[in-house]
Amino acid sequence: MCCPYCGKSIEGKDNNGYFKWNVLGFFFPFIGFILGMAWEDEKPKEAKALTFGATIAMINIMEFVFAKLIAASLVYMFHSIFFF
């Protein structure tokens, strides 16, 4: 790949091949973490994509759990204030 302005040869980042590993890690986070640790030395880019997808999935799960806990505590507070 060449720069259109100066003509210098540059290496492009092709992340299209690693999107499937992100998706696999997102939908199966435990498999993503395990394969990411196993492939850390052999396939570093695939391992990074797997662990990135798994990390995003775990963050989403934690946000859902904390939101549910906060909603449950608010319902409990509302119930205890207005319905003795």
Side-chain angles (χ1 to χ4, degrees):
M1 179 182 280
C2 295
C3 177
Y5 300 108
C6 65
K8 186 178 178 182
S9 178
I10 57 173
E11 288 187 34
K13 291 186 176 182
D14 183 22
N15 292 331
N16 294 335
Y18 302 112
F19 180 72
K20 60 185 173 185
W21 297 114
N22 284 328
V23 172
L24 179 73
F26 181 79
F27 286 109
F28 302 103
F30 297 113
I31 293 173
F33 282 127
I34 291 169
L35 279 178
M37 287 187 286
W39 287 354
E40 191 172 4
D41 294 330
E42 298 170 7
K43 302 176 182 181
K45 291 182 180 179
E46 289 89 349
K48 185 176 180 181
L50 277 167
T51 54
F52 181 74
T55 303
I56 297 299
M58 294 304 289
I59 289 171
N60 284 340
I61 290 169
M62 287 189 301
E63 286 177 352
F64 177 74
V65 168
F66 287 134
K68 192 165 180 122
L69 287 172
I70 290 170
S73 65
L74 290 175
V75 167
Y76 179 75
M77 284 184 356
F78 175 78
H79 184 26
S80 65
I81 291 171
F82 293 109
F83 298 110
F84 303 116

